[in-house]
Amino acid sequence: NYSLSITKGSLKHRSSRGFNADVSGQKGPVPGAITVALTGTDVDLSQLTVPGIVELTNLDDTNFFEFGIYDPDTGAFYPLGEVLAGESYPLRLSRNLQEQYAGTGTAGGGETARLRLMANGAELNAYVGAFEA
């Protein structure tokens, strides 16, 4: 279950949703508490055969971190979102998270792309709880 409440001036938005996430795998949550560097920290999901639900939690009181995909072949980081100080979010990871696609509908290359967290402001601690799908 989650709820969202946003107030900005006269705008008041509230929503509440709930769902059950079924996971058939036996592994998780992994990797647990990690240190997130300013240069980025790869999330080790090697214990999971197929990634599923992940919870990202920022344990810092001040700084935020970005999450996204890191390509070690090119050294490029592609930010997807942010987790502000004290925030926590559930996400469903793609079952093809580490795959590279050479073209429309064709998988090419090996498992190279990584889920990466990158601290902003200062190194910080985060909790990453990923479960096998």
Side-chain angles (χ1 to χ4, degrees):
N1 294 314
Y2 72 91
S3 63
L4 176 66
S5 177
I6 296 174
T7 302
K8 182 172 182 166
S10 61
L11 171 69
K12 295 191 186 311
H13 173 82
R14 292 186 193 280
S15 66
S16 180
R17 304 274 191 264
F19 65 93
N20 290 321
D22 293 328
V23 294
S24 59
Q26 301 298 311
K27 304 289 181 146
V30 298
I34 63 172
T35 300
V36 181
L38 286 166
T39 56
T41 300
D42 292 346
V43 177
D44 181 5
L45 300 174
S46 63
Q47 294 183 49
L48 307 179
T49 303
V50 177
I53 297 289
V54 64
E55 179 183 28
L56 300 175
T57 302
N58 186 340
L59 302 174
D60 197 81
D61 293 330
T62 306
N63 301 293
F64 71 91
F65 68 82
E66 294 178 287
F67 61 91
I69 299 300
Y70 173 69
D71 182 352
D73 292 340
T74 63
F77 174 66
Y78 302 94
L80 177 63
E82 297 178 352
V83 181
L84 302 182
E87 291 184 342
S88 184
Y89 296 100
L91 302 168
R92 180 173 295 276
L93 296 172
S94 170
R95 65 192 75 209
N96 300 311
L97 176 64
Q98 295 185 173
E99 296 295 324
Q100 289 183 340
Y101 291 93
T104 305
T106 60
E111 296 181 354
T112 59
R114 303 283 182 256
L115 176 63
R116 177 172 271 204
L117 308 183
M118 187 174 292
N120 184 283
E123 180 176 277
L124 57 84
N125 292 318
Y127 170 80
V128 179
F131 292 83
E132 195 166 63

